[in-house]
Amino acid sequence: MKAVSRREVIKTFALGAVFSSLGAKSWADSLLFELQQAPAFWEGVLKIDVNAFPALAEPLGSVRIGTFPIGANQKTEAWLKPMMINRGEGDDFYVVSAVCTHEECIVRRLDAGSRAMVCPCHGSAFEIDGQVRNGPAGFPLPSFEFTRQGSVLSISVPQLFYDVTVAQSASKARIELRFVAFFQTVYEVYFRETIDGPAQRVDFAVTEGGPATTSEFTGTINSEYVSLFVDKPGAHGFFQVAVKTGEV
């Protein structure tokens, strides 16, 4: 189990798993971290620590976050499309989609000189908040709602839904996390002893009896349900499935 700092945990789903072996009955169940409602599919919360990105330390700094590199055609087939995080003149931030509303090419980062995000395909330009400066795009870049606590932005991402089921393995020594692994999306698993405690990245097995030596899982083109098996580190705790993100 590898301990990670708060700055390293810049990506997370809102839903995790809780288990307990205390008392008369062992159990495992889904756990809601951030949300107050419980729909059939969970809207995701992507957590970004702006201190982890040097560009965002400067006024008009910009980073483009995604789960997979941009293709040579300036587009991506990734399930979670890239988003742009822009810093304003002061300590204000804007979070918008990086997908051009003309023909879905991925726009470039905000240029501090021109104060515009430009599409490399057809030249559409967008303001820092995603509004159209000039076409051919006729619609602004969609924005994402977020809250801020210190340096951490908690961004609500409607596309970041997933349905997870949690169960104990037959031996009761492991927890099974089952969810849809989307194409070109990399997943990690984290453990917390308490819900607000420090996160530790844990290795997992891809079969119930296999060795727990895998640190990342990448979804295939089929975007199908997968099961990851994690060893219980103690009598109780919280597991978290996370999407791995970075600058693209």
Side-chain angles (χ1 to χ4, degrees):
M1 187 181 301
K2 179 182 177 181
V4 293
S5 70
R6 183 176 180 84
R7 286 185 59 177
E8 288 182 277
V9 185
I10 61 171
K11 66 282 185 184
T12 180
F13 278 133
L15 189 68
V18 59
F19 73 91
S20 177
S21 298
L22 300 176
K25 182 180 179 182
S26 296
W27 55 273
D29 204 352
S30 299
L31 174 72
L32 187 62
F33 278 117
E34 309 282 349
L35 306 179
Q36 301 303 313
Q37 300 295 321
F41 287 91
W42 308 87
E43 180 179 271
V45 176
L46 185 66
K47 290 192 175 182
I48 300 294
D49 188 339
V50 298
N51 287 341
F53 300 93
L56 296 178
E58 301 294 332
L60 304 180
S62 179
V63 295
R64 192 172 62 188
I65 300 296
T67 60
F68 200 79
I70 309 303
N73 63 352
Q74 304 301 320
K75 297 185 178 182
T76 180
E77 298 299 322
W79 156 64
L80 180 61
K81 303 300 183 185
M83 66 175 63
M84 204 79 72
I85 302 175
N86 298 327
R87 180 173 178 172
E89 291 276 12
D91 198 27
D92 51 328
F93 289 90
Y94 304 87
V95 183
V96 299
S97 170
V99 181
C100 183
T101 54
H102 177 225
E103 291 190 2
E104 298 189 340
C105 292
I106 306 303
V107 301
R108 297 191 179 103
R109 298 171 185 85
L110 180 74
D111 178 77
S114 65
R115 302 192 179 196
M117 296 174 286
V118 178
C119 177
C121 293
H122 305 101
S124 297
F126 300 89
E127 305 288 352
I128 190 173
D129 61 355
Q131 295 300 310
V132 177
R133 178 180 294 188
N134 59 260
F139 300 95
L141 301 175
S143 60
F144 294 93
E145 294 184 358
F146 66 92
T147 59
R148 180 179 177 183
Q149 185 173 9
S151 64
V152 177
L153 306 183
S154 296
I155 306 165
S156 296
V157 187
Q159 305 99 295
L160 199 61
F161 67 85
Y162 74 117
D163 177 26
V164 64
T165 58
V166 184
Q168 295 194 89
S169 65
S171 67
K172 296 187 178 181
R174 284 180 166 175
I175 297 293
E176 177 186 0
L177 306 174
R178 182 171 171 79
F179 58 95
V180 176
F182 289 92
F183 180 47
Q184 295 182 336
T185 304
V186 181
Y187 298 88
E188 297 175 331
V189 177
Y190 288 81
F191 173 76
R192 301 172 189 265
E193 289 187 357
T194 62
I195 192 169
D196 57 353
Q200 296 175 300
R201 189 164 52 241
V202 297
D203 291 342
F204 52 84
V206 294
T207 60
E208 184 173 353
T213 56
T214 303
S215 60
E216 296 182 352
F217 186 89
T218 303
T220 67
I221 195 170
N222 296 321
S223 295
E224 57 192 359
Y225 273 93
V226 299
S227 289
L228 307 182
F229 298 88
V230 290
D231 295 325
K232 292 182 179 180
H236 58 86
F238 305 88
F239 283 106
Q240 206 169 6
V241 178
V243 172
K244 188 174 183 179
T245 63
E247 294 189 64
V248 295

